[in-house]
Structures are given as C-alpha cells and as structure tokens.
Amino acid sequence: LPHRGRSRKRVLVLCTGGTLTMSSDPSAQGALAPVQGALTDYMSSMRELTDDPEMPEIVSHEYIPLIDSSDMGPGDWAVIAQDIATNYYHFDGFVIITGTDTMAYAASAVSFMFQNLGKPVVFTGSQIPLREPYNDARKNLIMAIIFASSDTVSEVTIFFHDRLLRGCRATKVNTCKLLAFDSPNIDSLATIGIHVEEKDHLFLPPPKGAFRVRTEMDTRLITLRLVPGFDDAMIIHMIKAASKETVLKGLILQLYGAGNMPSLKNDLIECLKDATNDGVCVVVSTQCHTGSVIMGHYATGLALKEAGVVSAGDMTLEATTAKLAYLLGRQDLAIDEVRDLMGVDLRGELTPEGLMPPPPLASTYQKAIFKKNRSRIF
C-alpha cells in the first residue's frame, strides 16, 4: 500500500528479551535464558516477513543486555517509551517483544506515558521460545507486526495467541497455556481465526492533539491484598512507617467483592483517613477477576469513601498501579487532582461510572438511570 511515498509501511521491532528469545543455557544447568541476536537472525530467515510484498518493512533493535521481564520496571518502560517517541515519525507502528510475566504492567505504563498516540504499539511475546520446533512465538510475532501496520489501531495493545487486547485492560491469567492473557472487563479488540475479526467500535478514536510523551513515574506506592482475619495493627504500622520513612504517596488496597473490608476495623479506617489527610492517595480495587468497585453500595465501602479513599472502578491491578504512578509523577498535578483523575478514563482503562451495570439490589430509579445513560451513549 502506498504510504508517504513508500511502497511499504515501516514497523520498528524493539526487543527487550523474554521467553520468545530464549534458549537453554548450559552454564545455568539448562535453564532458559535470552540469547542476544537470536531474534534478528530468525526474523531475517522468516519468508513470511521478507517475501510477502504486503508485509511492512521491518527494522529490529535488540536491547543490550536482554533481560527477563521480572527484572524490568518503570525505568525500563520509560526507555521503551522514549525510543518510540524518538522514532515516532519514522515508522508507522511499533512492536515490543518482552517477557510475559510483567507484560501487562509494561503495556499499561506505556499506555499512560503516551498522550495523543496516533499509531499502533503492540506488545507480544510467547510461552514457548521461537527456537523450539513447536512454538507460539512465530504466530504471535507475525500477527503483532501485522497489527502494528494497521490503520485502525492508535493505542497500546497486546497481541497474544489469537486476540488483540487493549494494553491497559489486559492481565496475565495463565502460566502454562498459550492463551496467557485476558481482558476481564472489556472484549478483545480483535480475534484471529480463518479471518481477522476487528471490533471497530472498541478501538480508541484517532487523537485530536499532538503526540506527547511523559515518562516520569512516582513509585513511592505500595499494594496490599487483604485476607480474612488479617492483623490490622501490622498494616497500620506498615502504612505509618512507609509514610514516615519513604514519604509514601500512594496506597492500593485490594479488597473483597465490590470494595469491602470488615466493618469492625475502625482503627484501620482511621489510619487510612489520616493517610489521605497527609497527602497519600488511597485507592481501592477489587480482588475479583471481573466486575468493579462500587463504593457506597455497602456500609463498609461508604466508610472508606468518607475517609477519602477513591475507587479503582473496573481497572486491572496492572492499570491501577501504572496509572497511579503516572499521575503521581506528574509534577503539574496536586494530590486532589490525582484523586479525581483516578476516576477519569484517560486511555480506555476504565469504564465510566455512568456506563456501569447497576449494582446488586439496585433500585428501580438506579436501573432507569443506567438504561438512560446507556441509550444516550450507544
């Protein structure tokens, strides 16, 4: 397809490592380890990429050294985002190859780092190394490149197995199956079978402003998953110690169901109230795989809301942590603005409150408002 005077589109493939690039390492008792240069060699011999005139021109770059995704964090994600920004006007799309363990965190973080993204950025990897005779790496790589040359995608995504997912809606759900990622609260953007089925109504619209990148993330936050019978005195001590010693800025609590915690834990609620008064952004997410936090639906949730705690809505934990770190890293935002923006859909990571299904045992009035909002939007 003609594009800016070229006969083919151009896609930049950035490789950080991961299972896709791995081979057994004799020096590590046969454990898998990334092999520098292997991906570039494999891609140069893949006739699907080199001989088909409809496939884009591919330029690959392997970071040195290749690293396991478990060793990656905000600094590494910032490097990826900055490299894409540097090459933004030289390529039509971008593929990021990385390990699966933290891929959803990376995709979420990069989603927030980009403002007014107008080109596809596709994360991918594999459960089986590319060098193995039977693998999922080859298909994932080819389809990621195809979607990276698409005219309909203008957001950060993950392609894995047979589906394209919004990056800030994805989460890893399986360690040993090829269908390793899911998007719990929104359908996949596209699925592949004999044909590619794109769900056009789900894609983010093209941007209206100039492309910008903000890579600063404030990582002074902690995430706590509560379990029945927990010792609230230990949690209170940890929060107070973190606030004093490291200037805690964000606290994410994974609570039960719609965002509930034991109603008798008054000391913990008072501690959370003190933390919000001290400038900590406290966010509640649900431990459930699907669904949303509905603060105020139950009395325990209402107590948290009155303490200044904010809801993560139906965001994944990956999106919640990345979004909070991104907003806290914005030097132009006051803490109250950070709290407000946690409830605002910035990159398609969150279902707006007016479009949420009515909660269990909702009143007829609530259900009517939901139906009205739904018909107005759709």
Side-chain angles (χ1 to χ4, degrees):
L1 297 176
H3 187 74
R4 299 178 190 162
R6 298 192 304 270
S7 59
R8 299 166 69 185
K9 290 190 174 184
R10 303 184 77 216
V11 169
L12 176 62
V13 177
L14 298 175
C15 178
T16 69
T19 300
L20 187 145
T21 68
M22 289 185 177
S23 182
S24 57
D25 184 357
S27 65
Q29 298 181 340
L32 291 175
V35 178
Q36 201 78 45
L39 176 66
T40 302
D41 292 341
Y42 279 121
M43 289 177 62
S44 64
S45 63
M46 291 174 65
R47 297 184 62 182
E48 307 98 312
L49 304 181
T50 59
D51 293 357
D52 189 336
E54 294 191 7
M55 288 296 286
E57 176 189 347
I58 300 166
V59 176
S60 64
H61 171 72
E62 297 186 30
Y63 292 98
I64 301 175
L66 298 176
I67 57 176
D68 190 288
S69 68
S70 299
D71 292 323
M72 296 184 69
D76 303 289
W77 305 332
V79 171
I80 293 170
Q82 197 59 60
D83 285 344
I84 291 175
T86 300
N87 292 279
Y88 187 75
Y89 296 104
H90 302 290
F91 293 89
D92 302 293
F94 305 87
V95 172
I96 314 300
I97 296 173
T98 187
T100 59
D101 287 348
T102 62
M103 184 184 293
Y105 288 95
S108 293
V110 173
S111 296
F112 292 113
M113 290 178 182
F114 290 150
Q115 293 176 290
N116 298 316
L117 178 64
K119 298 182 180 182
V121 175
V122 187
F123 279 78
T124 196
S126 69
Q127 295 284 69
I128 307 171
L130 186 58
R131 68 176 297 278
E132 295 294 331
Y134 169 74
N135 65 72
D136 60 329
R138 196 179 193 95
K139 180 180 72 174
N140 288 351
L141 176 59
I142 292 171
M143 290 309 304
I145 291 171
I146 289 174
F147 279 115
S149 60
S150 168
D151 291 322
T152 57
V153 182
S154 56
E155 55 183 290
V156 177
T157 61
I158 290 176
F159 180 83
F160 217 89
H161 187 53
D162 66 347
R163 59 198 60 186
L164 184 73
L165 307 173
R166 177 163 297 149
C168 54
R169 286 283 198 165
T171 186
K172 187 174 181 181
V173 295
N174 205 297
T175 63
C176 57
K177 291 186 178 180
L178 301 186
L179 182 55
F181 288 86
D182 192 16
S183 180
N185 288 311
I186 187 175
D187 286 341
S188 57
L189 303 179
T191 55
I192 64 166
I194 297 177
H195 304 287
V196 176
E197 297 181 11
E198 294 186 347
K199 299 167 187 174
D200 296 337
H201 65 288
L202 292 178
F203 286 112
L204 294 181
K208 296 181 180 179
F211 172 70
R212 297 179 61 188
V213 59
R214 291 175 178 265
T215 60
E216 298 83 6
M217 301 186 83
D218 193 331
T219 58
R220 291 175 293 177
L221 57 90
I222 55 177
T223 299
L224 296 176
R225 182 182 177 95
L226 268 59
V227 296
F230 65 90
D231 186 344
D232 53 323
M234 295 292 293
I235 296 177
I236 292 171
H237 177 75
M238 182 170 61
I239 293 173
K240 289 183 176 179
S243 299
K244 181 178 180 180
E245 297 174 11
T246 60
V247 192
L248 180 69
K249 301 299 292 183
L251 172 63
I252 298 170
L253 297 173
Q254 278 195 296
L255 302 184
Y256 317 130
N260 302 308
M261 61 179 291
S263 59
L264 301 179
K265 301 287 187 178
N266 293 327
D267 290 344
L268 179 55
I269 292 177
E270 283 299 314
C271 175
L272 298 177
K273 185 176 182 180
D274 291 341
T276 59
N277 290 336
D278 290 338
V280 179
C281 182
V282 183
V283 184
V284 166
S285 69
T286 176
Q287 296 179 6
C288 298
H289 184 61
T290 59
S292 171
V293 171
I294 311 173
M295 294 191 69
H297 184 59
Y298 297 98
T300 52
L302 182 60
L304 290 170
K305 188 174 183 179
E306 291 174 346
V309 177
V310 298
S311 168
D314 64 347
M315 286 189 288
T316 62
L317 178 63
E318 294 91 335
T320 303
T321 55
K323 183 177 184 178
L324 183 55
Y326 164 75
L327 292 175
L328 291 172
R330 290 272 301 265
Q331 301 299 315
D332 57 331
L333 297 176
I335 191 63
D336 286 337
E337 293 176 298
V338 171
R339 293 184 180 119
D340 290 341
L341 286 172
M342 284 300 295
V344 175
D345 182 27
L346 302 179
R347 307 286 190 268
E349 77 283 358
L350 176 71
T351 303
E353 190 173 345
L355 301 180
M356 288 284 191
L361 306 178
S363 66
T364 302
Y365 172 76
Q366 287 174 306
K367 293 178 180 177
I369 290 296
F370 169 71
K371 189 176 293 184
K372 180 180 178 182
N373 287 338
R374 200 177 167 87
S375 62
R376 182 188 307 148
I377 297 296
F378 295 106

